[in-house]
Amino acid sequence: MSIRETVNNPHSRWMDGTGPESDIVISSRVRVARNLAHLPFPHLLSREKAEEVIHAVQTAIENRVFREKVGKMELTRMNELTPVERQILVEKHLISPDLLEDFERKAVVLRDDEVLSVMVNEEDHLRLQCLLPGLQLNRAWELVSRLDDGLEATLDYAFDEKLGYLTACPTNVGTGLRASVMLHLPGLVMVNQIKGVLGTITKLGLTVRGLYGEGTEAKGNLFQVSNQVTLGQAEEDIIANLISVTRQLLGQERAAREALYRERREQLEDRVGRAYGLLKHARVMTSEEAMSLFSDLRLGIDMGIIKNIPAPLIIELMVLTRPAFLVKVTGKDLSPVERDIYRAQLIRKKLSAAQQS
Amino acid sequence: MECERCHQRPATVHLTEIINNEKRTMRLCEQCARELQAQAMGFFPQINLHNFLAGLLHNEFGFPTTGPTVAPAGARCEACGLTEAQFARQGLLGCGECYRYFGPRLEPVFRRIHGNTCHTGKVPERTGGKVRVINRIERLKAQLREAISREEFERAAELRDAIRELEKQLQEG
Ligand SMILES: [Zn+2]
Ligand SMILES: [Zn+2]
């Protein structure tokens, strides 16, 4: 798949819904930061030196050893893409929003299946990423590590015997590793236990992120849990810790869902049904409203209240109804109001198509 | 209260993050919140990591983290030219050599962020050379102790040979 196909296709492997525990774990991501020795970090890099980094990476991925180890990857300079295409890579989580700033000196490397990507000249010279559906952190680390070895076959990394991999920000030094899981936790939110649970997690050296509205509910009930420490722990230990915490969260979320089904079944079914009704019939829908309705509908699907809508469709809709994809789908610039109208239209279309099939 | 991101519109939405049991809240206007939210699903904005770090640096280095900085009293990296003051302001180092120039002053920062100052993880395959061998020896030694405690002497002998072989490699450089 070329980068054109990547930006034209709203689907990514991580949205498959096929991974283990995918009723709650949306995706697993492992990212490592690497820098080239003898060059300033990107924020101090001249235009020519930035080009040098891109060139070195291009050479590294064309290397025979790399191809055998990792497969074919394609480098694209960010300035070869249109603004919408760049934004789509963000919405598909293949690159970070930071790669859009000062993009003239930045590049992205993608493997055909979109499972592996490398950001070039973001905060660090290289940020290697693997994104997989469900709980697959070990597999993700394995793939990132192989990609890392493949690149290191020809690139000299900035590495220190005592401190490990050197990074622009001291919060990443050592392993340079950030492992994270994206969790859908509507059950814990509904039974009002989310705060306590997440508070406990952060005592274990992990970070939780959620986007809150004016109230206390996270939009879409999505939470990202990731490691905070990168120095002094081996990669395997960091990942094992995150997996074990995630498993505990899964247990608690499932218990919450069961309790809801047992004790507040009518309310639960009502909430799911209302979400489904609104998504099927609304004519104007903000992305914020959509996210929270998607969460309710997804819960209904996972709990068997809603049949005949495949769960992965909800994740796909979450990506598809974001601004850049809407622009892509409609082929024109949209005002916020127009976006809300097209969003509602698209959701209606997708849901009725899924029902009929 | 004004939005902490654009400093233009009034803040109506709160973005909350919990790091190491410390809760941080960012007050945002509707539009900034929406922009951040659009990016949020896979890459939650790392809004506070640098702020958090800048706070630490402020304490460790004694530099103000905002506003005009005092003349650089501290060291300067000879490789990239970054001064301590610049570092304390941005929270970013300039190059790999910076770690050597600012080393002793960074240690408390590492301790605060990571609770640790020594890498024990992966080592580059090709350029990691010596460290890689040393780590391998350490791992084998641990296995050797375990084998002995379980009275698996055949296995222990194998491990001891492997360790000797690696130590020889190390000496020959
Ligand atoms: Zn704002
Ligand atoms: Zn430097």
Side-chain angles (χ1 to χ4, degrees):
Chain A
M1 201 188 280
S2 72
I3 188 116
R4 294 286 152 204
E5 291 170 66
T6 299
V7 295
N8 281 320
N9 182 1
H11 195 82
S12 272
R13 268 274 294 281
W14 67 266
M15 303 171 203
D16 278 357
T18 49
E21 322 287 1
S22 60
D23 57 327
I24 294 170
V25 188
I26 307 288
S27 60
S28 297
R29 185 164 68 103
V30 168
R31 185 213 82 188
V32 299
R34 298 289 186 256
N35 285 283
L36 304 186
H38 317 303
L39 279 173
F41 294 146
H43 71 109
L44 293 183
L45 212 52
S46 68
R47 190 70 190 273
E48 297 78 60
K49 291 268 174 74
E51 198 54 41
E52 224 177 273
V53 175
I54 294 176
H55 189 78
V57 175
Q58 177 74 64
T59 311
I61 61 173
E62 281 165 9
N63 182 275
R64 189 182 51 83
V65 179
F66 181 90
R67 288 270 158 109
E68 279 165 14
K69 246 185 169 126
V70 189
K72 190 174 180 297
M73 288 185 88
E74 189 190 358
L75 182 142
T76 309
R77 284 174 166 74
M78 293 308 284
N79 61 13
E80 296 167 31
L81 299 170
T82 67
V84 173
E85 288 171 334
R86 287 196 288 269
Q87 189 61 42
I88 284 176
L89 292 178
V90 174
E91 292 177 2
K92 290 182 89 168
H93 310 152
L94 297 171
I95 63 171
S96 74
D98 284 350
L99 210 68
L100 305 186
E101 272 167 43
D102 204 7
F103 61 83
E104 295 287 339
R105 50 182 70 208
K106 298 179 183 181
V108 60
V109 181
L110 280 179
R111 197 168 77 174
D112 284 1
D113 58 6
E114 302 179 30
V115 165
L116 289 172
S117 59
V118 183
M119 290 186 268
V120 184
N121 291 332
E122 204 231 34
E123 186 176 284
D124 294 294
H125 292 143
L126 300 172
R127 283 200 164 170
L128 291 52
Q129 172 181 284
C130 178
L131 188 58
L132 289 171
L135 183 58
Q136 300 194 67
L137 285 168
N138 280 320
R139 176 87 184 123
W141 162 241
E142 212 178 284
L143 289 171
V144 162
S145 187
R146 200 187 303 165
L147 168 60
D148 182 36
D149 294 343
L151 290 169
E152 201 254 342
T154 46
L155 298 174
D156 285 347
Y157 283 161
F159 182 84
D160 178 83
E161 295 199 354
K162 182 166 178 259
L163 290 172
Y165 295 93
L166 303 176
T167 53
C169 184
T171 54
N172 292 321
V173 77
T175 58
L177 179 98
R178 292 273 170 227
S180 63
V181 284
M182 181 62 65
L183 304 173
H184 184 223
L185 303 175
L188 285 170
V189 172
M190 276 186 227
V191 300
N192 262 327
Q193 281 193 25
I194 194 75
K195 273 194 177 157
V197 169
L198 298 184
T200 314
I201 287 177
T202 61
K203 290 188 186 132
L204 303 166
L206 299 172
T207 299
V208 184
R209 293 195 166 85
L211 191 67
Y212 295 81
E214 222 161 342
T216 49
E217 256 178 65
K219 297 287 167 212
N221 298 317
L222 290 169
F223 298 88
Q224 186 190 48
V225 183
S226 56
N227 66 301
Q228 181 68 13
V229 168
T230 58
L231 185 61
Q233 288 177 11
E235 291 82 355
E236 287 77 10
D237 298 334
I238 293 172
I239 282 167
N241 181 34
L242 184 54
I243 291 175
S244 99
V245 169
T246 302
R247 289 210 176 283
Q248 295 206 21
L249 275 173
L250 288 177
Q252 283 168 314
E253 170 66 18
R254 290 200 176 112
R257 290 181 184 188
E258 274 161 31
L260 283 168
Y261 198 73
R262 216 172 38 237
E263 284 152 34
R264 282 165 37 197
R265 185 160 167 183
E266 273 71 36
Q267 287 96 319
L268 186 69
E269 285 177 345
D270 180 66
R271 181 162 170 166
V272 170
R274 279 167 192 270
Y276 194 23
L278 276 171
L279 288 167
K280 264 202 308 197
H281 298 293
R283 291 297 192 268
V284 184
M285 175 91 56
T286 66
S287 73
E288 213 167 321
E289 185 185 11
M291 281 305 275
S292 110
L293 295 173
F294 285 149
S295 171
D296 290 347
L297 182 58
R298 174 71 201 248
L299 178 67
I301 295 168
D302 290 340
M303 297 188 66
I305 298 169
I306 299 279
K307 313 238 165 34
N308 70 39
I309 301 275
L313 178 67
I314 306 302
I315 307 293
E316 195 170 318
L317 277 172
M318 283 180 178
V319 172
L320 200 60
T321 56
R322 272 154 201 277
F325 260 110
L326 287 176
V327 171
K328 187 90 196 172
V329 170
T330 55
K332 56 179 177 180
D333 268 343
L334 299 172
S335 72
V337 180
E338 286 175 314
R339 262 200 320 246
D340 293 348
I341 292 170
Y342 276 109
R343 180 177 295 112
Q345 207 174 72
L346 191 70
I347 294 169
R348 291 201 307 274
K349 209 172 85 191
K350 285 272 172 185
L351 285 179
S352 67
Q355 250 181 331
Q356 278 152 19
S357 66
Chain B
M1 188 166 192
E2 72 175 21
C3 168
E4 287 174 42
R5 188 165 175 263
C6 65
H7 300 287
Q8 282 169 3
R9 295 172 287 266
T12 53
V13 177
H14 297 182
L15 177 69
T16 304
E17 231 176 13
I18 311 169
I19 293 186
N20 291 343
N21 219 27
E22 246 179 88
K23 200 167 150 187
R24 280 151 207 288
T25 301
M26 200 179 191
R27 282 157 236 282
L28 301 167
C29 69
E30 202 75 25
Q31 187 173 333
C32 286
R34 208 163 281 173
E35 278 172 34
L36 289 176
Q37 194 201 352
Q39 311 163 346
M41 219 176 81
F43 289 91
F44 276 76
Q46 302 234 351
I47 45 161
N48 71 8
L49 212 53
H50 288 132
N51 294 350
F52 176 66
L53 182 66
L56 285 180
L57 296 174
H58 177 72
N59 291 336
E60 299 301 338
F61 282 44
F63 286 116
T65 49
T66 52
T69 26
V70 235
R76 169 188 279 268
C77 169
E78 278 175 29
C80 72
L82 189 87
T83 63
E84 268 190 0
Q86 274 175 299
F87 171 51
R89 202 171 50 235
Q90 298 183 324
L92 290 178
L93 291 159
C95 72
E97 295 297 303
C98 284
Y99 280 91
R100 237 166 10 100
Y101 285 100
F102 303 131
R105 306 201 58 177
L106 282 172
E107 283 222 353
V109 178
F110 295 145
R111 227 179 278 282
R112 208 83 80 69
I113 302 171
H114 303 287
N116 218 306
T117 59
C118 236
H119 176 61
T120 53
K122 185 175 175 175
V123 170
E125 208 169 305
R126 183 176 51 86
T127 53
K130 225 169 97 187
V131 204
R132 211 179 153 74
V133 180
I134 292 169
N135 287 355
R136 175 113 187 89
I137 292 173
E138 287 306 314
R139 273 200 300 278
L140 288 176
K141 278 183 177 166
Q143 285 172 21
L144 175 63
R145 282 192 294 273
E146 213 170 288
I148 291 171
S149 76
R150 278 198 245 117
E151 306 194 350
E152 294 169 1
F153 298 115
E154 225 166 288
R155 170 98 183 113
E158 274 171 32
L159 288 164
R160 198 182 44 224
D161 291 347
I163 292 168
R164 279 197 191 135
E165 181 57 37
L166 287 172
E167 281 174 340
K168 211 171 78 191
Q169 264 182 40
L170 207 56
Q171 269 162 7
E172 285 163 0

